[in-house]
Amino acid sequence: MSATTAPQLNTAATKQPTLQQSNIARVQALVAEFQAGRPEGYLAGVHENIHGSVLGGLIPGGDDYRGKAAFQELMGSMDQYMEVSKFEPKNWRAVNDDVLFNVDWAFVWIPTGKLIETTALVRKVVRDGMICEKYHCICDVEAITGQPSPHDATPVERVQELLAEYGAGRPEGYLAGVSDDFSGSVLQGWVPDEMARFNSKEDFGKLMGEMEQYMEVTKFEPCNFVAMPNNDMMFNVNWCFTYKSTGKVVETTAVVRKVLDKDNNLCEKYHMVDADCVLEESPRDVVAAATERTALKTPLSTALSTAGGTGVVLSTSLMCNE
């Protein structure tokens, strides 16, 4: 289908929901508090019953902490194991109550003295402005510590098997690993909402069949797979595609979360791409939108000195994957 005949999206009706915008802004504001050397400001946004996994396999107890006190203790022990020189959040996405993003890290792993440069996948669950769950999982734990991740690798292995089927041109092989009550959202914000959101395997199958009306894909590269608790996993996808409605070539990075059920089938999927990156049509639009989204930035040396060696640097650029 040509660019001129592709279905048109009413962008005014499909902007990111206010709740998701608010949740991203809330998490970014809390990160900025920590960055500015006010950890108490960050903790003010943490629920008393917070739980999850932070740096599991690196920091003792990080793979399953429960409660605000345990979280504080965990964060306070980080400088015993890591000397951080870079902590850069990017790829901010949100769906339902979740805020999903990446963090690019550089740190000296103190037990070996080795400099580590890696990426983490992060999921924070926000309810009523409070972080109730936090999962911050670094890629390649075994390469850093010599020990495997404490989280079950089955979800990652299963997702990689299904992606291989899809990549080999066998979508039926992928769908064989999908539960009948499969739910989630894919590419929401720039394909029609009734298509992006699905609540069954049948709906998802229709979505797969209709995506080529909106995009002509030249690159789809999954990477940065991490296992998480609760039969959960996350990864990135590096995309390059032509958005047929405008003819615009888009290069961007998606943040993806998938959940398996007890039968080892996919029961939830969230594949989030920056809709603004797709819909902005001119360099002037991109600059204006990037200016709006610019987060507070602090020199790394200042952040590290004021935040106990775990300072946060928020980066902004005109690239769609930032």
Side-chain angles (χ1 to χ4, degrees):
M1 184 177 293
S2 69
T4 57
T5 59
Q8 297 296 306
L9 177 67
N10 182 354
T11 59
T14 57
K15 286 187 177 298
Q16 191 179 42
T18 300
L19 173 63
Q20 283 69 49
Q21 292 176 328
S22 298
N23 285 346
I24 288 177
R26 176 60 167 161
V27 171
Q28 289 177 327
L30 294 175
V31 168
E33 285 293 303
F34 189 76
Q35 174 188 4
R38 296 187 294 267
E40 69 280 3
Y42 182 95
L43 289 168
V46 170
H47 195 279
E48 290 294 333
N49 296 321
I50 188 174
H51 61 277
S53 174
V54 172
L55 305 180
L58 299 180
I59 310 299
D63 59 305
D64 183 18
Y65 68 89
R66 297 185 178 273
K68 188 171 183 176
F71 176 72
Q72 287 181 259
E73 183 178 353
L74 174 66
M75 300 309 289
S77 68
M78 283 178 54
D79 59 5
Q80 300 176 36
Y81 301 91
M82 311 166 71
E83 184 179 324
V84 180
S85 55
K86 182 173 75 172
F87 185 104
E88 296 183 353
K90 65 180 185 180
N91 297 333
W92 295 91
R93 311 283 187 260
V95 60
N96 302 328
D97 292 330
D98 288 4
V99 176
L100 312 174
F101 58 103
N102 284 97
V103 174
D104 286 341
W105 284 83
F107 59 88
V108 173
W109 179 239
I110 292 175
T112 63
K114 183 178 179 181
L115 176 63
I116 305 297
E117 295 184 284
T118 189
T119 295
L121 279 294
V122 184
R123 174 185 174 224
K124 297 187 181 185
V125 181
V126 180
R127 300 189 183 97
D128 298 323
M130 303 293 285
I131 300 175
C132 301
E133 301 177 43
K134 176 179 177 178
Y135 305 91
H136 190 125
C137 297
I138 279 183
C139 300
D140 300 324
V141 168
E142 189 167 1
I144 299 169
T145 67
Q147 299 296 321
S149 167
H151 300 306
D152 183 4
T154 300
V156 168
E157 293 167 354
R158 179 59 166 157
V159 167
Q160 289 175 329
E161 289 173 1
L162 297 177
L163 286 172
E165 287 293 304
Y166 185 77
R170 296 188 293 269
E172 68 279 5
Y174 184 99
L175 287 170
V178 168
S179 67
D180 289 337
D181 60 350
F182 195 36
S183 65
S185 67
V186 172
L187 308 181
Q188 189 174 359
W190 60 275
V191 299
D193 199 57
E194 65 273 15
M195 185 175 93
R197 288 184 173 271
F198 53 90
N199 290 291
S200 69
K201 182 175 183 173
E202 181 180 5
D203 288 346
F204 179 71
K206 291 178 181 177
L207 166 63
M208 291 179 71
E210 294 176 4
M211 282 174 57
E212 64 180 13
Q213 298 181 43
Y214 296 89
M215 59 198 303
E216 182 178 337
V217 179
T218 54
K219 182 172 72 173
F220 180 93
E221 295 180 352
C223 59
N224 300 330
F225 292 89
V226 296
M228 292 185 168
N230 310 315
N231 248 13
D232 208 333
M233 60 83 67
M234 288 179 65
F235 62 104
N236 292 120
V237 174
N238 292 325
W239 283 88
C240 183
F241 60 88
T242 299
Y243 181 43
K244 289 186 175 181
S245 290
T246 61
K248 178 181 179 181
V249 176
V250 177
E251 292 190 70
T252 190
T253 297
V255 181
V256 186
R257 174 176 172 245
K258 297 187 180 184
V259 184
L260 298 186
D261 64 15
K262 60 181 177 58
D263 298 317
N264 212 29
N265 290 321
L266 294 178
C267 60
E268 296 181 50
K269 173 180 177 176
Y270 307 93
H271 191 124
M272 312 302 293
V273 169
D274 182 4
D276 289 339
C277 174
V278 179
L279 300 175
E280 289 159 1
E281 296 185 6
S282 71
R284 180 174 295 179
D285 292 336
V286 174
V287 170
T291 300
E292 281 186 15
R293 296 195 297 265
T294 299
L296 178 65
K297 299 174 78 173
T298 298
L300 182 60
S301 58
T302 302
L304 294 176
S305 65
T306 57
T310 55
V312 176
V313 178
L314 299 180
S315 67
T316 304
S317 80
L318 302 186
M319 296 299 293
C320 290
N321 62 350
E322 290 300 309

